[in-house]
Amino acid sequence: MLLDTLGQLDPFLVGAVLLALLTLDGSLLIGTVVPGDAAIVVAGTALTGPAEIAVAALAGVVGCFLGSTGGWLIGRRYGSRVRHSRAGRWIGERRWNRAERVAMSEGGGPALAASYFLPLVNGLTPVLAGSLGVPYRRFIRWAVPGSALWVTTYLTLGSVAGTFAREHQHLLVPIAACAAVLAVGLFVIVRRSRAARAAVSPAAEATAVSGPAGSPEPESAARPPR
């Protein structure tokens, strides 16, 4: 079984792979294809104790540091060209705008640290921070503790999940089925919510321009000027 195979991997090998993935995640936008969150959780399923988690977490934080530094330098050097490149257009303007709000947030440093817990956004923030002129010292001062908390939390969750799955393999099928139903339900709810907001917005704009239906015209518009 795959989980049994993962559980036999050397934690130093797991850490080395995680270091490489997280370096690419923050610098070359690999996280838009292979989300760093998923990579960390999968790595965590191969770990079976605090010592192994600590080894992999240290490697992951080093990878985040290298990736964040590389991403910041790329943003500083190439500016908006990355955002408007073919890959940048594929990522989508909505995600870029969200990452930009985080990078320039009034919350400052804490918002940069918390951005690691925003899937996909965490891979875009370093590039945007560099292109928007966020000082490197300020950026990296918050990126390191944020990445440390992010990597450690997700590795621990992955380790707990992996250990549980190996010990209770007979529950995997029903749990996976429930998770799939829940995921589909959430997807449908989100899609309907977005569609409802999109339908309300044009109506609200029309009301703001023309005024409420049936309301009398202003007196100045009803009477011609003398």
Side-chain angles (χ1 to χ4, degrees), residues 52-210:
E52 293 187 358
I53 292 175
V55 169
L58 178 60
V61 172
V62 172
C64 288
F65 171 79
L66 296 175
S68 296
T69 300
W72 186 91
L73 290 172
I74 289 172
R76 185 79 168 182
R77 175 67 177 82
Y78 296 103
S80 61
R81 279 184 284 180
V82 175
R83 182 171 181 171
H84 299 296
S85 65
R86 179 178 298 181
R89 291 194 298 271
W90 178 82
I91 291 169
E93 192 63 22
R94 181 175 59 85
R95 290 176 180 145
W96 283 109
N97 289 336
R98 189 180 181 193
E100 184 174 351
R101 288 195 297 271
V102 170
M104 302 302 292
S105 171
E106 293 181 359
L112 290 173
S115 70
Y116 278 95
F117 289 90
L118 300 176
L120 298 180
V121 171
N122 51 28
L124 304 178
T125 302
V127 174
L128 277 173
S131 64
L132 295 173
V134 177
Y136 175 74
R137 282 189 175 184
R138 174 174 172 270
F139 167 70
I140 207 65
R141 185 169 65 243
W142 289 99
V144 170
S147 65
L149 182 60
W150 177 55
V151 170
T152 304
T153 299
Y154 279 41
L155 281 177
T156 302
L157 291 175
S159 177
V160 171
T163 301
F164 177 85
R166 280 187 286 269
E167 294 177 354
H168 302 86
Q169 296 187 23
H170 61 287
L171 297 177
L172 289 182
V173 173
I175 290 176
C178 291
V181 171
L182 179 61
V184 170
L186 289 175
F187 176 77
V188 171
I189 291 172
V190 170
R191 286 291 298 270
R192 289 185 176 180
S193 176
R194 288 179 178 174
R197 287 198 300 267
V200 168
S201 295
E205 291 177 2
T207 301
V209 172
S210 61

